[in-house]
Amino acid sequence: MAKLVYGMMQSLDGYVAGPDGGPNLPMPDDELHRHFNDQVRGVVGCLYGRRIYEMMRYWDVDQPGQDDIGNDFAAAWRATPKWVVSHTLKSVGPNATLVNNDLGEFVQALKADYDGEIDVAGPELAGCLTQLGLIDEYRLYLQPVVLGGGKPYFAAARPPLRLVAHDRIGEHAIRLTYVPS
């Protein structure tokens, strides 16, 4: 059975995007970027909300001037199956499946059909999955910035959590790993 893991970079005050809607977080340093490359290569798939998927589509095409680490991420991302939860999109890009039916039922079937980790991205999607009791692990990648507002990592109430790991990754990031208590 697959494990659903919600992980995103966030500011010290808990935001994944700033007040203007942009990421406003520093770009990952090389070590953190390599960590994300390895993570994408290691998952069985990615479950995205619409907005994060649209941002990630940047990696669908080769980017002029991209460095080797970025190209490595693009190759891993393109090879990874993606499921995109949206009621507004009519189509999705390569290696992606549009999900617009019963979310809980779909995700339960997804978890039953796969072994390994499924990456979850998007605070609203993660909030819905949390309310359904489907998130198995939360990974918070803290960046040394304070945004003062914006889109929070936790978009809704969540169950009590228990810290199971903490790791420094790269020069600036700390990863905190929690599971529901």
Side-chain angles (χ1 to χ4, degrees):
M1 176 169 263
K3 175 169 77 169
L4 243 58
V5 177
Y6 171 44
M8 291 186 76
M9 292 191 310
Q10 71 173 65
S11 64
L12 292 176
D13 55 345
Y15 297 99
V16 298
D20 63 356
N24 303 109
L25 293 170
M27 291 300 295
D29 63 25
D30 287 353
E31 189 174 342
L32 181 58
H33 207 300
R34 282 188 202 95
H35 167 82
F36 289 138
N37 294 4
D38 292 342
Q39 181 180 322
V40 169
R41 261 192 299 279
V43 299
V44 296
C46 298
L47 183 61
Y48 289 127
R50 178 189 57 83
R51 282 185 286 279
I52 192 78
Y53 173 70
E54 288 176 333
M55 285 183 3
M56 295 300 290
R57 296 249 5 231
Y58 169 87
W59 300 104
D60 271 346
V61 296
D62 291 332
Q63 299 296 328
Q66 186 65 258
D67 64 14
D68 289 342
I69 297 170
N71 288 330
D72 183 44
F73 182 84
W77 191 80
R78 289 176 195 158
T80 302
K82 291 163 273 302
W83 302 279
V84 182
V85 178
S86 174
H87 294 292
T88 58
L89 290 177
K90 301 296 182 218
S91 65
V92 290
N95 206 13
T97 302
L98 184 60
V99 178
N100 56 13
N101 52 355
D102 183 280
L103 179 62
E105 186 178 298
F106 177 82
V107 172
Q108 286 173 339
L110 201 60
K111 288 178 77 167
D113 290 346
Y114 288 88
D115 288 319
E117 291 185 359
I118 296 173
D119 182 50
V120 174
E124 288 87 7
L125 174 60
C128 292
L129 294 170
T130 295
Q131 289 176 344
L132 294 169
L134 294 171
I135 300 282
D136 299 296
E137 189 170 290
Y138 299 83
R139 293 182 188 155
L140 292 73
Y141 290 85
L142 297 176
Q143 293 282 344
V145 297
V146 174
L147 298 179
K151 184 176 287 294
Y153 176 91
F154 289 108
R158 46 121 188 98
L161 300 175
R162 180 174 49 88
L163 180 67
V164 294
H166 54 86
D167 309 283
R168 182 178 180 155
I169 303 173
E171 284 279 321
H172 307 287
I174 300 290
R175 178 182 61 191
L176 301 174
T177 305
Y178 292 90
V179 296
S181 299

